[in-house]
Amino acid sequence: MSDCSDDEAVTDKQLKVVIVGDGASGKTSIATRYAQSSFGKEYKQTLGVDFFLKRIVLPGETHVALQVWDIGGQTLGGAMLNNYIYGAHAVMMVYDITNAQSFDNLEDWLAIIKKTCGQKLPALALVGNKIDLDHMRAVKNDRHQKFSTDNNMSSHFISARTDDQVSLCFQKVAAQVLGFKLTKQEVESQQTVVRAEIVKYSNLEPPRSAASNHQRSALCSIQ
């Protein structure tokens, strides 16, 4: 897998992974969840770029340092964006599955990447975030899969809030860049068990029987 720099940094097992996408799509939440195992419930806009470092081990005891660049959503079209993307070994293109506009705008992000890197594109990953809100989904799976296939991207669905598939996503992207194939055991070791939130009904009024009330229940917990 080639990158858009002329050096051979990949042989040093130091990979530059850039995260792009619209503001509020969850880029910073993904980076902090992965690098720091934390999640901020309040949205804070990234101004410019933030940096994170994560060390991982790939097959064959291959030690890799991931330099994760979290690019602010407002930088699309900005003068510094080309500099942020240049030299990337991989670019994760993130959108919010509940926000169709964040998906549509990936065309603009992709155009910038192609303009910056030319023919030597980095590994591209299409990342649908907020799968814990699947009941609010605004982007259908077939649109996601078509965009990833048409643009030769790997496909990922994650949730920064619940930590579902986050580590596995980065592990797969790094393995893709270095030409490794993860085994089933290695994939399973990166998966996070997501526990459902328990709702206690002991203090609530018991539901009316269906025979006496034909209205559907307003209680719905899909997390």
Side-chain angles (χ1 to χ4, degrees):
M1 180 63 65
S2 63
D3 57 77
C4 57
S5 64
D6 294 327
D7 59 21
E8 294 295 328
V10 105
T11 60
D12 298 328
K13 306 301 182 292
Q14 293 185 359
L15 303 183
K16 177 181 177 180
V17 179
V18 175
I19 306 178
V20 301
D22 279 8
S25 61
K27 301 184 303 299
T28 300
S29 294
I30 293 169
T32 54
R33 171 64 80 182
Y34 179 60
Q36 302 175 353
S37 299
S38 63
F39 178 79
K41 294 184 179 181
E42 294 184 2
Y43 172 64
K44 296 181 180 179
Q45 186 182 56
T46 299
L47 301 178
V49 60
D50 282 339
F51 302 90
F52 301 86
L53 180 65
K54 179 77 171 184
R55 289 182 170 85
I56 63 174
V57 180
L58 289 177
E61 291 298 312
T62 304
H63 292 260
V64 181
L66 293 183
Q67 302 169 2
V68 181
W69 293 46
D70 168 28
I71 308 300
Q74 82 287 349
T75 59
L76 182 60
M80 292 298 295
L81 183 57
N82 291 350
N83 294 334
Y84 296 153
I85 295 174
Y86 184 81
H89 299 96
V91 177
M92 296 171 61
M93 303 184 63
V94 175
Y95 73 96
D96 173 358
I97 68 167
T98 72
N99 184 339
Q101 190 63 53
S102 70
F103 179 83
D104 295 339
N105 288 344
L106 291 181
E107 291 280 5
D108 295 330
W109 288 101
L110 182 58
I112 292 295
I113 295 169
K114 289 181 176 180
K115 181 179 179 181
T116 301
C117 301
Q119 297 298 317
K120 303 179 70 174
L121 288 175
L124 299 176
L126 179 61
V127 182
N129 186 33
K130 305 186 183 180
I131 59 172
D132 54 292
L133 300 177
D134 191 69
H135 58 294
M136 298 170 59
R137 176 184 290 273
V139 181
K140 294 182 178 180
N141 282 344
D142 57 353
R143 289 192 66 200
H144 172 108
Q145 298 300 343
K146 185 178 187 305
F147 190 74
S148 64
T149 300
D150 290 350
N151 294 288
N152 195 28
M153 300 176 174
S154 58
S155 172
H156 310 269
F157 289 102
I158 68 175
S159 169
R161 188 182 76 85
T162 64
D163 199 17
D164 189 4
Q165 307 294 314
V166 174
S167 292
L168 179 59
C169 177
F170 280 91
Q171 198 86 354
K172 284 183 174 180
V173 168
Q176 177 185 356
V177 173
L178 295 175
F180 290 118
K181 185 175 181 179
L182 300 179
T183 65
K184 181 179 179 180
Q185 182 178 4
E186 288 164 340
V187 169
E188 291 176 347
S189 69
Q190 295 298 319
Q191 291 178 323
T192 301
V193 177
V194 179
R195 299 185 181 276
E197 296 181 3
I198 304 300
V199 179
K200 295 183 179 180
Y201 294 99
S202 58
N203 296 325
L204 298 179
E205 180 182 344
R208 299 176 182 178
S209 64
S212 61
N213 185 1
H214 295 287
Q215 293 182 341
R216 299 180 66 181
S217 172
L219 291 175
C220 180
S221 177
I222 309 178
Q223 291 291 339

